[in-house]
């Protein structure tokens, strides 16, 4: 229990009064970002952006505009890792040395339910819930696999496909 408290405190120490928390609900074609200040106030209403380099650059421009407007010097990106879609943005941000954290999908669901008991689920609510979990320090550290690991995974998938194809041919 002490280790959990220490981890949570370490996460909360990352969040100062000059921190912007960007909660991102990712999907295959587009993502939704919510922009929350450490105080809990929404810096900008949630916005959709493409799940592509063009969309990621748009997001960085928005974040830059918000940090200048509110005189912020710290940004934490909090993502919900669903499928492979989140990794594109996570890798893009990590390559630029941004702080990237992840939250569990179940946490998002439970947090959303405590915020508003309405059963309605949408990307804006999820992005806000993800940002709120980030503000509370309820996130996990993430390490992205390196290119060698990704190559091995790709080759393993290709091998499995070839084995299936060979079996079908037999």
């Amino acid at each position: 229990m002490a280790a959990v408290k220490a981890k949570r405190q370490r996460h909360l120490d990352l969040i100062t009064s000059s921190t912007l928390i960007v909660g991102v609900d990712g999907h295959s074609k587009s993502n939704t970002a919510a922009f929350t200040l450490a105080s809990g106030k929404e810096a900008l209403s949630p916005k959709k952006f493409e799940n592509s380099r063009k969309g990621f650059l748009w997001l960085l421009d928005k974040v830059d505009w918000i940090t200048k407007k509110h005189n912020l010097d710290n940004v934490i990106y909090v993502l919900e890792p669903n499928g492979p879609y989140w990794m594109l943005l996570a890798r893009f941000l990590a390559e630029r040395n941004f702080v990237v954290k992840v939250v569990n999908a179940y946490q998002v669901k439970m947090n959303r339910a405590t915020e508003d008991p309405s059963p309605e689920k949408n990307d804006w609510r999820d992005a806000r819930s993800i940002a709120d979990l980030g503000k509370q320090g309820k996130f996990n550290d993430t390490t992205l696999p390196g290119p060698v690991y990704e190559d091995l995974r790709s080759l393993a998938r290709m091998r499995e496909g070839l084995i299936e194809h060979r079996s079908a041919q037999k």
Side-chain angles (χ1 to χ4, degrees):
M1 189 62 133
V4 172
K5 282 187 177 183
K7 178 181 172 186
R8 178 89 179 279
Q9 188 58 50
R10 209 174 56 246
H11 290 171
L12 288 171
D13 289 345
L14 292 174
I15 302 164
T16 65
S17 60
S18 61
T19 299
L20 173 68
I21 298 104
V22 181
V24 179
D25 184 30
H27 298 284
S28 62
K29 295 199 185 324
S30 68
N31 300 314
T32 304
F35 309 91
T36 303
L37 302 174
S39 65
K41 181 181 174 190
E42 199 170 70
L44 184 69
S45 62
K47 304 289 182 199
K48 279 196 179 285
F49 63 97
E50 291 178 29
N51 195 16
S52 66
R53 179 175 167 72
K54 178 183 170 188
F56 302 160
L57 291 171
W58 177 91
L59 176 66
L60 292 183
D61 284 344
K62 277 292 176 214
V63 167
D64 187 51
W65 178 81
I66 293 168
T67 55
K68 287 177 181 167
K69 179 181 178 188
H70 293 278
N71 197 28
L72 305 172
D73 62 10
N74 186 26
V75 180
I76 297 175
Y77 292 88
V78 184
L79 312 175
E80 178 185 9
N82 51 355
Y85 313 120
W86 71 280
M87 295 203 49
L88 294 172
L89 178 58
R91 184 165 311 288
F92 177 86
L93 294 169
E95 287 171 354
R96 286 155 181 78
N97 297 315
F98 287 105
V99 177
V100 179
K101 304 295 182 180
V102 294
V103 292
N104 183 301
Y106 184 72
Q107 282 178 297
V108 175
K109 180 180 178 181
M110 291 296 102
N111 192 61
R112 189 178 63 237
T114 59
E115 292 282 311
D116 179 5
S118 164
E120 178 186 335
K121 179 189 180 323
N122 61 45
D123 298 340
W124 290 271
R125 284 186 67 196
D126 283 351
R128 283 182 173 125
S129 183
I130 293 165
D132 184 54
L133 287 166
K135 180 181 69 75
Q136 296 174 45
K138 295 180 178 176
F139 49 74
N140 297 307
D141 297 323
T142 183
T143 51
L144 297 170
V148 172
Y149 178 78
E150 286 184 10
D151 288 346
L152 283 173
R153 232 171 49 178
S154 177
L155 289 170
R157 271 193 234 112
M158 188 184 303
R159 180 180 181 274
E160 287 173 14
L162 289 170
I163 289 171
E164 284 179 23
H165 181 71
R166 183 185 68 185
S167 297
Q169 294 299 315
K170 284 183 180 180

